[in-house]
Amino acid sequence: MVRAEGVHKSFGRLEVLKGIDLEVRQGEVMCVVGPSGSGKSTFLRCINHLEKINAGRLWVNGHLVGYRERGGRLYELRDREVAAQRREIGMVFQRFNLFPHKTVLENVMGAPVWVKKQPKDQVRERALALLDRVGLSEKARNYPAQLSGGQQQRVAIARALAMEPALMLFDEPTSALDPELVGEVLEVMKQLALDGMTMLVVTHEMGFAREVGDSLVFMDDGVVVERGAPREVLANPQNERTRNFLSKVL
């Protein structure tokens, strides 16, 4: 579902990604952990071309992300073509980014109606089903300001699912939540994993990684330091940098 080869990304003179090689299989839940500034979120943003890579290649579902290749050279896609690629990729951010002036239902219905031009009645039915799936069917007529942080994040997940993506990216989806609200969001993510959704999750929730993840990647200083089965990496990390990090967070 995702393949990264030699991905580099710099902001000016600051090199944030220094050659990332990763593969995520269809249906896999990959959790990415590491210290702040290690490049985790930047890598996630490169996958849907919110950030343009400086070198390397990224594929999602067999398609080169953001570019087409001719004669060994890359040519950037037009904005319309990039937007079409993004329809296959759902992304949930740390902040919920809901439209405050629209109801919960309108937030979830928005993209399929505006972007995919799908019939409103059809979209409404699916949106209500998605809100039921995340446990918020009774909040359909509420506005974001009337919801808790955990509820808003669950709406954000439903909104991403409304586009029927092949891949879901989660960028520390619980880091902005009060501790007692974290569990309700993680429970929705667990159900997505059980349903077979391919997920790439940047997280500090080691319990989630251990219980739900199929693979665990530790990043530091713009590189993949270690990768393996979550329980094995967490219990017996092979790299000294991984051991030092986990000793501070477990």
Side-chain angles (χ1 to χ4, degrees):
M1 182 61 72
V2 180
R3 181 156 62 100
E5 291 183 357
V7 172
H8 289 254
K9 174 63 184 176
S10 298
F11 296 98
R13 295 184 178 180
L14 177 63
E15 191 177 17
V16 177
L17 300 178
K18 303 176 181 179
I20 301 294
D21 296 300
L22 271 181
E23 288 190 2
V24 184
R25 302 182 309 276
Q26 185 169 349
E28 179 179 356
V29 178
M30 177 181 285
C31 295
V32 183
V33 303
S36 296
S38 59
K40 310 182 301 294
S41 294
T42 298
F43 177 61
L44 222 59
R45 292 172 65 84
C46 289
I47 291 174
N48 63 1
H49 207 57
L50 287 175
E51 299 290 354
K52 301 176 185 179
I53 64 177
N54 300 113
R57 303 284 192 277
L58 266 170
W59 291 265
V60 171
N61 214 8
H63 302 292
L64 193 63
V65 174
Y67 300 91
R68 65 170 51 90
E69 188 169 2
R70 288 179 186 162
R73 296 186 63 182
L74 293 182
Y75 298 87
E76 189 167 7
L77 298 178
R78 298 171 182 169
D79 289 347
R80 184 187 305 173
E81 295 170 305
V82 172
Q85 287 188 334
R86 288 195 184 120
R87 294 176 194 175
E88 288 198 356
I89 307 170
M91 189 158 185
V92 178
F93 301 87
Q94 296 179 36
R95 298 292 174 180
F96 326 120
N97 297 332
L98 300 177
F99 293 112
H101 62 291
K102 293 187 178 294
T103 66
V104 164
L105 182 60
E106 289 168 339
N107 267 278
V108 177
M109 290 179 61
V113 172
W114 305 328
V115 179
K116 286 191 169 183
K117 310 299 183 185
Q118 293 178 343
K120 277 191 176 182
D121 288 348
Q122 175 185 325
V123 173
R124 178 186 175 86
E125 184 177 337
R126 175 164 169 75
L128 288 170
L130 286 169
L131 287 173
D132 184 58
R133 186 175 177 182
V134 300
L136 289 173
S137 55
E138 78 283 359
K139 301 291 185 181
R141 296 182 182 277
N142 288 57
Y143 289 87
Q146 298 171 304
L147 306 182
S148 70
Q151 289 171 330
Q152 289 187 60
Q153 192 62 294
R154 284 188 279 156
V155 173
I157 293 172
R159 179 181 60 182
L161 292 173
M163 289 292 283
E164 301 178 277
L167 168 69
M168 286 285 286
L169 308 177
F170 292 86
D171 187 8
E172 298 187 19
T174 60
S175 64
L177 301 178
D178 292 333
E180 67 269 22
L181 302 178
V182 168
E184 63 190 56
V185 174
L186 294 181
E187 188 58 39
V188 170
M189 293 170 64
K190 289 177 188 176
Q191 288 303 314
L192 283 180
L194 289 172
D195 291 342
M197 175 63 73
T198 308
M199 298 162 59
L200 191 54
V201 184
V202 171
T203 185
H204 294 298
E205 301 293 337
M206 299 301 167
F208 176 85
R210 182 187 293 108
E211 180 182 349
V212 181
D214 297 302
S215 59
L216 179 67
V217 169
F218 172 67
M219 284 182 63
D220 190 24
D221 196 26
V223 299
V224 173
V225 176
E226 188 164 347
R227 176 181 178 177
R231 292 177 185 273
E232 293 177 10
V233 174
L234 293 173
N236 187 29
Q238 300 300 300
N239 190 282
E240 182 66 28
R241 292 157 82 186
T242 315
R243 284 196 291 272
N244 288 340
F245 173 78
L246 292 177
S247 69
K248 295 171 184 174
V249 299
L250 292 177

PDB file of all heavy atoms in Angstrom, residues 103-105 127-143 146-148 150-152 154-155 184:
ATOM      1  N   THR A 103     -22.392  21.914  11.256  1.00  0.00           N
ATOM      2  CA  THR A 103     -22.720  20.858  12.206  1.00  0.00           C
ATOM      3  C   THR A 103     -21.791  19.661  12.001  1.00  0.00           C
ATOM      4  O   THR A 103     -21.073  19.565  10.996  1.00  0.00           O
ATOM      5  CB  THR A 103     -24.173  20.386  12.034  1.00  0.00           C
ATOM      6  OG1 THR A 103     -24.308  19.755  10.756  1.00  0.00           O
ATOM      7  CG2 THR A 103     -25.152  21.544  12.166  1.00  0.00           C
ATOM      8  N   VAL A 104     -21.843  18.740  12.957  1.00  0.00           N
ATOM      9  CA  VAL A 104     -21.065  17.509  12.849  1.00  0.00           C
ATOM     10  C   VAL A 104     -21.395  16.786  11.545  1.00  0.00           C
ATOM     11  O   VAL A 104     -20.499  16.367  10.808  1.00  0.00           O
ATOM     12  CB  VAL A 104     -21.351  16.608  14.068  1.00  0.00           C
ATOM     13  CG1 VAL A 104     -20.880  15.183  13.827  1.00  0.00           C
ATOM     14  CG2 VAL A 104     -20.683  17.193  15.318  1.00  0.00           C
ATOM     15  N   LEU A 105     -22.675  16.652  11.236  1.00  0.00           N
ATOM     16  CA  LEU A 105     -23.085  15.962  10.021  1.00  0.00           C
ATOM     17  C   LEU A 105     -22.572  16.685   8.778  1.00  0.00           C
ATOM     18  O   LEU A 105     -22.078  16.052   7.833  1.00  0.00           O
ATOM     19  CB  LEU A 105     -24.610  15.847   9.974  1.00  0.00           C
ATOM     20  CG  LEU A 105     -25.190  15.103   8.764  1.00  0.00           C
ATOM     21  CD1 LEU A 105     -24.677  13.669   8.693  1.00  0.00           C
ATOM     22  CD2 LEU A 105     -26.718  15.128   8.822  1.00  0.00           C
ATOM     23  N   ALA A 127     -22.781   9.268   5.878  1.00  0.00           N
ATOM     24  CA  ALA A 127     -22.241  10.068   6.973  1.00  0.00           C
ATOM     25  C   ALA A 127     -22.880   9.678   8.302  1.00  0.00           C
ATOM     26  O   ALA A 127     -22.196   9.571   9.331  1.00  0.00           O
ATOM     27  CB  ALA A 127     -22.446  11.558   6.695  1.00  0.00           C
ATOM     28  N   LEU A 128     -24.181   9.471   8.307  1.00  0.00           N
ATOM     29  CA  LEU A 128     -24.872   9.054   9.524  1.00  0.00           C
ATOM     30  C   LEU A 128     -24.384   7.678   9.978  1.00  0.00           C
ATOM     31  O   LEU A 128     -24.212   7.431  11.188  1.00  0.00           O
ATOM     32  CB  LEU A 128     -26.382   9.043   9.298  1.00  0.00           C
ATOM     33  CG  LEU A 128     -27.041  10.419   9.190  1.00  0.00           C
ATOM     34  CD1 LEU A 128     -28.482  10.287   8.711  1.00  0.00           C
ATOM     35  CD2 LEU A 128     -26.976  11.170  10.524  1.00  0.00           C
ATOM     36  N   ALA A 129     -24.132   6.787   9.019  1.00  0.00           N
ATOM     37  CA  ALA A 129     -23.609   5.466   9.361  1.00  0.00           C
ATOM     38  C   ALA A 129     -22.203   5.578   9.961  1.00  0.00           C
ATOM     39  O   ALA A 129     -21.867   4.860  10.912  1.00  0.00           O
ATOM     40  CB  ALA A 129     -23.593   4.574   8.117  1.00  0.00           C
ATOM     41  N   LEU A 130     -21.397   6.481   9.432  1.00  0.00           N
ATOM     42  CA  LEU A 130     -20.041   6.671   9.955  1.00  0.00           C
ATOM     43  C   LEU A 130     -20.073   7.276  11.357  1.00  0.00           C
ATOM     44  O   LEU A 130     -19.283   6.893  12.227  1.00  0.00           O
ATOM     45  CB  LEU A 130     -19.230   7.564   9.015  1.00  0.00           C
ATOM     46  CG  LEU A 130     -18.769   6.903   7.716  1.00  0.00           C
ATOM     47  CD1 LEU A 130     -18.205   7.946   6.746  1.00  0.00           C
ATOM     48  CD2 LEU A 130     -17.721   5.827   8.005  1.00  0.00           C
ATOM     49  N   LEU A 131     -20.986   8.219  11.587  1.00  0.00           N
ATOM     50  CA  LEU A 131     -21.109   8.799  12.928  1.00  0.00           C
ATOM     51  C   LEU A 131     -21.559   7.739  13.926  1.00  0.00           C
ATOM     52  O   LEU A 131     -21.103   7.725  15.081  1.00  0.00           O
ATOM     53  CB  LEU A 131     -22.083   9.979  12.905  1.00  0.00           C
ATOM     54  CG  LEU A 131     -21.549  11.245  12.237  1.00  0.00           C
ATOM     55  CD1 LEU A 131     -22.649  12.290  12.113  1.00  0.00           C
ATOM     56  CD2 LEU A 131     -20.355  11.808  13.020  1.00  0.00           C
ATOM     57  N   ASP A 132     -22.422   6.844  13.485  1.00  0.00           N
ATOM     58  CA  ASP A 132     -22.827   5.732  14.346  1.00  0.00           C
ATOM     59  C   ASP A 132     -21.628   4.822  14.629  1.00  0.00           C
ATOM     60  O   ASP A 132     -21.447   4.342  15.744  1.00  0.00           O
ATOM     61  CB  ASP A 132     -23.950   4.946  13.680  1.00  0.00           C
ATOM     62  CG  ASP A 132     -24.484   3.844  14.580  1.00  0.00           C
ATOM     63  OD1 ASP A 132     -24.940   4.153  15.704  1.00  0.00           O
ATOM     64  OD2 ASP A 132     -24.443   2.666  14.173  1.00  0.00           O
ATOM     65  N   ARG A 133     -20.799   4.641  13.618  1.00  0.00           N
ATOM     66  CA  ARG A 133     -19.616   3.778  13.750  1.00  0.00           C
ATOM     67  C   ARG A 133     -18.638   4.323  14.790  1.00  0.00           C
ATOM     68  O   ARG A 133     -17.978   3.565  15.500  1.00  0.00           O
ATOM     69  CB  ARG A 133     -18.931   3.679  12.386  1.00  0.00           C
ATOM     70  CG  ARG A 133     -17.755   2.713  12.309  1.00  0.00           C
ATOM     71  CD  ARG A 133     -17.271   2.646  10.875  1.00  0.00           C
ATOM     72  NE  ARG A 133     -16.110   1.791  10.721  1.00  0.00           N
ATOM     73  CZ  ARG A 133     -15.485   1.602   9.566  1.00  0.00           C
ATOM     74  NH1 ARG A 133     -15.921   2.200   8.477  1.00  0.00           N
ATOM     75  NH2 ARG A 133     -14.426   0.814   9.501  1.00  0.00           N
ATOM     76  N   VAL A 134     -18.527   5.660  14.881  1.00  0.00           N
ATOM     77  CA  VAL A 134     -17.618   6.259  15.869  1.00  0.00           C
ATOM     78  C   VAL A 134     -18.346   6.647  17.153  1.00  0.00           C
ATOM     79  O   VAL A 134     -17.803   7.351  18.005  1.00  0.00           O
ATOM     80  CB  VAL A 134     -16.861   7.483  15.283  1.00  0.00           C
ATOM     81  CG1 VAL A 134     -16.032   7.068  14.080  1.00  0.00           C
ATOM     82  CG2 VAL A 134     -17.804   8.628  14.925  1.00  0.00           C
ATOM     83  N   GLY A 135     -19.604   6.207  17.281  1.00  0.00           N
ATOM     84  CA  GLY A 135     -20.348   6.412  18.517  1.00  0.00           C
ATOM     85  C   GLY A 135     -20.890   7.808  18.722  1.00  0.00           C
ATOM     86  O   GLY A 135     -21.061   8.255  19.860  1.00  0.00           O
ATOM     87  N   LEU A 136     -21.191   8.515  17.630  1.00  0.00           N
ATOM     88  CA  LEU A 136     -21.613   9.915  17.765  1.00  0.00           C
ATOM     89  C   LEU A 136     -22.875  10.229  16.949  1.00  0.00           C
ATOM     90  O   LEU A 136     -23.097  11.384  16.582  1.00  0.00           O
ATOM     91  CB  LEU A 136     -20.480  10.856  17.316  1.00  0.00           C
ATOM     92  CG  LEU A 136     -19.274  10.922  18.253  1.00  0.00           C
ATOM     93  CD1 LEU A 136     -18.157  11.734  17.612  1.00  0.00           C
ATOM     94  CD2 LEU A 136     -19.659  11.548  19.597  1.00  0.00           C
ATOM     95  N   SER A 137     -23.691   9.234  16.691  1.00  0.00           N
ATOM     96  CA  SER A 137     -24.889   9.476  15.886  1.00  0.00           C
ATOM     97  C   SER A 137     -25.817  10.500  16.534  1.00  0.00           C
ATOM     98  O   SER A 137     -26.492  11.270  15.837  1.00  0.00           O
ATOM     99  CB  SER A 137     -25.636   8.164  15.632  1.00  0.00           C
ATOM    100  OG  SER A 137     -25.944   7.516  16.852  1.00  0.00           O
ATOM    101  N   GLU A 138     -25.809  10.545  17.867  1.00  0.00           N
ATOM    102  CA  GLU A 138     -26.698  11.482  18.563  1.00  0.00           C
ATOM    103  C   GLU A 138     -26.182  12.923  18.525  1.00  0.00           C
ATOM    104  O   GLU A 138     -26.887  13.857  18.934  1.00  0.00           O
ATOM    105  CB  GLU A 138     -26.894  11.042  20.024  1.00  0.00           C
ATOM    106  CG  GLU A 138     -25.756  11.367  20.972  1.00  0.00           C
ATOM    107  CD  GLU A 138     -24.551  10.439  20.828  1.00  0.00           C
ATOM    108  OE1 GLU A 138     -24.611   9.515  19.984  1.00  0.00           O
ATOM    109  OE2 GLU A 138     -23.562  10.641  21.559  1.00  0.00           O
ATOM    110  N   LYS A 139     -24.970  13.117  18.034  1.00  0.00           N
ATOM    111  CA  LYS A 139     -24.370  14.461  17.976  1.00  0.00           C
ATOM    112  C   LYS A 139     -24.409  15.055  16.573  1.00  0.00           C
ATOM    113  O   LYS A 139     -23.788  16.094  16.330  1.00  0.00           O
ATOM    114  CB  LYS A 139     -22.912  14.398  18.454  1.00  0.00           C
ATOM    115  CG  LYS A 139     -22.720  13.885  19.872  1.00  0.00           C
ATOM    116  CD  LYS A 139     -23.256  14.862  20.903  1.00  0.00           C
ATOM    117  CE  LYS A 139     -22.934  14.386  22.321  1.00  0.00           C
ATOM    118  NZ  LYS A 139     -23.482  15.319  23.337  1.00  0.00           N
ATOM    119  N   ALA A 140     -25.137  14.434  15.655  1.00  0.00           N
ATOM    120  CA  ALA A 140     -25.104  14.848  14.250  1.00  0.00           C
ATOM    121  C   ALA A 140     -25.462  16.319  14.059  1.00  0.00           C
ATOM    122  O   ALA A 140     -24.898  17.002  13.191  1.00  0.00           O
ATOM    123  CB  ALA A 140     -26.042  13.963  13.417  1.00  0.00           C
ATOM    124  N   ARG A 141     -26.391  16.840  14.861  1.00  0.00           N
ATOM    125  CA  ARG A 141     -26.841  18.227  14.689  1.00  0.00           C
ATOM    126  C   ARG A 141     -26.062  19.225  15.550  1.00  0.00           C
ATOM    127  O   ARG A 141     -26.316  20.429  15.470  1.00  0.00           O
ATOM    128  CB  ARG A 141     -28.334  18.324  15.018  1.00  0.00           C
ATOM    129  CG  ARG A 141     -29.215  17.516  14.071  1.00  0.00           C
ATOM    130  CD  ARG A 141     -30.687  17.676  14.406  1.00  0.00           C
ATOM    131  NE  ARG A 141     -31.539  16.878  13.538  1.00  0.00           N
ATOM    132  CZ  ARG A 141     -31.930  17.260  12.326  1.00  0.00           C
ATOM    133  NH1 ARG A 141     -31.575  18.431  11.863  1.00  0.00           N
ATOM    134  NH2 ARG A 141     -32.703  16.466  11.597  1.00  0.00           N
ATOM    135  N   ASN A 142     -25.147  18.726  16.342  1.00  0.00           N
ATOM    136  CA  ASN A 142     -24.341  19.615  17.177  1.00  0.00           C
ATOM    137  C   ASN A 142     -23.239  20.285  16.371  1.00  0.00           C
ATOM    138  O   ASN A 142     -22.878  19.832  15.287  1.00  0.00           O
ATOM    139  CB  ASN A 142     -23.708  18.831  18.336  1.00  0.00           C
ATOM    140  CG  ASN A 142     -24.709  18.430  19.389  1.00  0.00           C
ATOM    141  OD1 ASN A 142     -25.696  17.763  19.096  1.00  0.00           O
ATOM    142  ND2 ASN A 142     -24.462  18.819  20.621  1.00  0.00           N
ATOM    143  N   TYR A 143     -22.700  21.364  16.956  1.00  0.00           N
ATOM    144  CA  TYR A 143     -21.549  22.044  16.363  1.00  0.00           C
ATOM    145  C   TYR A 143     -20.282  21.624  17.109  1.00  0.00           C
ATOM    146  O   TYR A 143     -20.349  21.216  18.280  1.00  0.00           O
ATOM    147  CB  TYR A 143     -21.737  23.563  16.417  1.00  0.00           C
ATOM    148  CG  TYR A 143     -22.795  24.053  15.458  1.00  0.00           C
ATOM    149  CD1 TYR A 143     -24.144  24.105  15.836  1.00  0.00           C
ATOM    150  CD2 TYR A 143     -22.456  24.442  14.159  1.00  0.00           C
ATOM    151  CE1 TYR A 143     -25.126  24.530  14.947  1.00  0.00           C
ATOM    152  CE2 TYR A 143     -23.434  24.868  13.265  1.00  0.00           C
ATOM    153  CZ  TYR A 143     -24.761  24.911  13.666  1.00  0.00           C
ATOM    154  OH  TYR A 143     -25.723  25.331  12.784  1.00  0.00           O
ATOM    155  N   GLN A 146     -19.592  22.363  20.757  1.00  0.00           N
ATOM    156  CA  GLN A 146     -20.433  21.698  21.751  1.00  0.00           C
ATOM    157  C   GLN A 146     -19.920  20.298  22.108  1.00  0.00           C
ATOM    158  O   GLN A 146     -20.543  19.606  22.897  1.00  0.00           O
ATOM    159  CB  GLN A 146     -21.864  21.602  21.222  1.00  0.00           C
ATOM    160  CG  GLN A 146     -22.520  22.964  20.974  1.00  0.00           C
ATOM    161  CD  GLN A 146     -23.856  22.844  20.258  1.00  0.00           C
ATOM    162  OE1 GLN A 146     -23.945  22.256  19.182  1.00  0.00           O
ATOM    163  NE2 GLN A 146     -24.897  23.397  20.872  1.00  0.00           N
ATOM    164  N   LEU A 147     -18.793  19.900  21.523  1.00  0.00           N
ATOM    165  CA  LEU A 147     -18.248  18.564  21.734  1.00  0.00           C
ATOM    166  C   LEU A 147     -16.953  18.620  22.538  1.00  0.00           C
ATOM    167  O   LEU A 147     -16.244  19.633  22.548  1.00  0.00           O
ATOM    168  CB  LEU A 147     -17.943  17.888  20.385  1.00  0.00           C
ATOM    169  CG  LEU A 147     -19.065  17.806  19.352  1.00  0.00           C
ATOM    170  CD1 LEU A 147     -18.571  17.057  18.125  1.00  0.00           C
ATOM    171  CD2 LEU A 147     -20.303  17.138  19.929  1.00  0.00           C
ATOM    172  N   SER A 148     -16.633  17.522  23.195  1.00  0.00           N
ATOM    173  CA  SER A 148     -15.332  17.389  23.855  1.00  0.00           C
ATOM    174  C   SER A 148     -14.256  17.174  22.794  1.00  0.00           C
ATOM    175  O   SER A 148     -14.544  16.896  21.623  1.00  0.00           O
ATOM    176  CB  SER A 148     -15.350  16.190  24.814  1.00  0.00           C
ATOM    177  OG  SER A 148     -15.399  14.973  24.078  1.00  0.00           O
ATOM    178  N   GLY A 150     -12.212  14.671  22.532  1.00  0.00           N
ATOM    179  CA  GLY A 150     -12.271  13.297  22.043  1.00  0.00           C
ATOM    180  C   GLY A 150     -13.379  13.095  21.028  1.00  0.00           C
ATOM    181  O   GLY A 150     -13.210  12.389  20.030  1.00  0.00           O
ATOM    182  N   GLN A 151     -14.526  13.742  21.279  1.00  0.00           N
ATOM    183  CA  GLN A 151     -15.632  13.638  20.330  1.00  0.00           C
ATOM    184  C   GLN A 151     -15.282  14.320  19.009  1.00  0.00           C
ATOM    185  O   GLN A 151     -15.575  13.804  17.933  1.00  0.00           O
ATOM    186  CB  GLN A 151     -16.887  14.260  20.937  1.00  0.00           C
ATOM    187  CG  GLN A 151     -17.478  13.443  22.077  1.00  0.00           C
ATOM    188  CD  GLN A 151     -18.588  14.177  22.803  1.00  0.00           C
ATOM    189  OE1 GLN A 151     -18.601  15.410  22.878  1.00  0.00           O
ATOM    190  NE2 GLN A 151     -19.534  13.424  23.354  1.00  0.00           N
ATOM    191  N   GLN A 152     -14.616  15.488  19.098  1.00  0.00           N
ATOM    192  CA  GLN A 152     -14.221  16.187  17.873  1.00  0.00           C
ATOM    193  C   GLN A 152     -13.244  15.346  17.055  1.00  0.00           C
ATOM    194  O   GLN A 152     -13.338  15.296  15.830  1.00  0.00           O
ATOM    195  CB  GLN A 152     -13.591  17.540  18.217  1.00  0.00           C
ATOM    196  CG  GLN A 152     -14.582  18.557  18.747  1.00  0.00           C
ATOM    197  CD  GLN A 152     -13.956  19.924  18.916  1.00  0.00           C
ATOM    198  OE1 GLN A 152     -13.471  20.522  17.964  1.00  0.00           O
ATOM    199  NE2 GLN A 152     -13.946  20.425  20.148  1.00  0.00           N
ATOM    200  N   ARG A 154     -13.088  12.107  17.005  1.00  0.00           N
ATOM    201  CA  ARG A 154     -13.848  11.012  16.398  1.00  0.00           C
ATOM    202  C   ARG A 154     -14.620  11.503  15.170  1.00  0.00           C
ATOM    203  O   ARG A 154     -14.757  10.775  14.185  1.00  0.00           O
ATOM    204  CB  ARG A 154     -14.784  10.380  17.422  1.00  0.00           C
ATOM    205  CG  ARG A 154     -14.050   9.473  18.413  1.00  0.00           C
ATOM    206  CD  ARG A 154     -15.025   8.724  19.286  1.00  0.00           C
ATOM    207  NE  ARG A 154     -15.503   9.541  20.399  1.00  0.00           N
ATOM    208  CZ  ARG A 154     -16.654   9.346  21.030  1.00  0.00           C
ATOM    209  NH1 ARG A 154     -17.472   8.387  20.650  1.00  0.00           N
ATOM    210  NH2 ARG A 154     -17.008  10.113  22.046  1.00  0.00           N
ATOM    211  N   VAL A 155     -15.127  12.733  15.228  1.00  0.00           N
ATOM    212  CA  VAL A 155     -15.760  13.322  14.046  1.00  0.00           C
ATOM    213  C   VAL A 155     -14.737  13.469  12.926  1.00  0.00           C
ATOM    214  O   VAL A 155     -15.022  13.188  11.753  1.00  0.00           O
ATOM    215  CB  VAL A 155     -16.397  14.689  14.377  1.00  0.00           C
ATOM    216  CG1 VAL A 155     -16.904  15.370  13.098  1.00  0.00           C
ATOM    217  CG2 VAL A 155     -17.538  14.530  15.372  1.00  0.00           C
ATOM    218  N   GLU A 184     -11.271   6.807  24.101  1.00  0.00           N
ATOM    219  CA  GLU A 184     -12.393   6.721  23.173  1.00  0.00           C
ATOM    220  C   GLU A 184     -11.926   6.844  21.723  1.00  0.00           C
ATOM    221  O   GLU A 184     -12.504   6.233  20.822  1.00  0.00           O
ATOM    222  CB  GLU A 184     -13.438   7.789  23.499  1.00  0.00           C
ATOM    223  CG  GLU A 184     -12.979   9.227  23.359  1.00  0.00           C
ATOM    224  CD  GLU A 184     -13.980  10.217  23.935  1.00  0.00           C
ATOM    225  OE1 GLU A 184     -14.338  10.088  25.126  1.00  0.00           O
ATOM    226  OE2 GLU A 184     -14.398  11.114  23.177  1.00  0.00           O
TER     227      GLU A 184
END
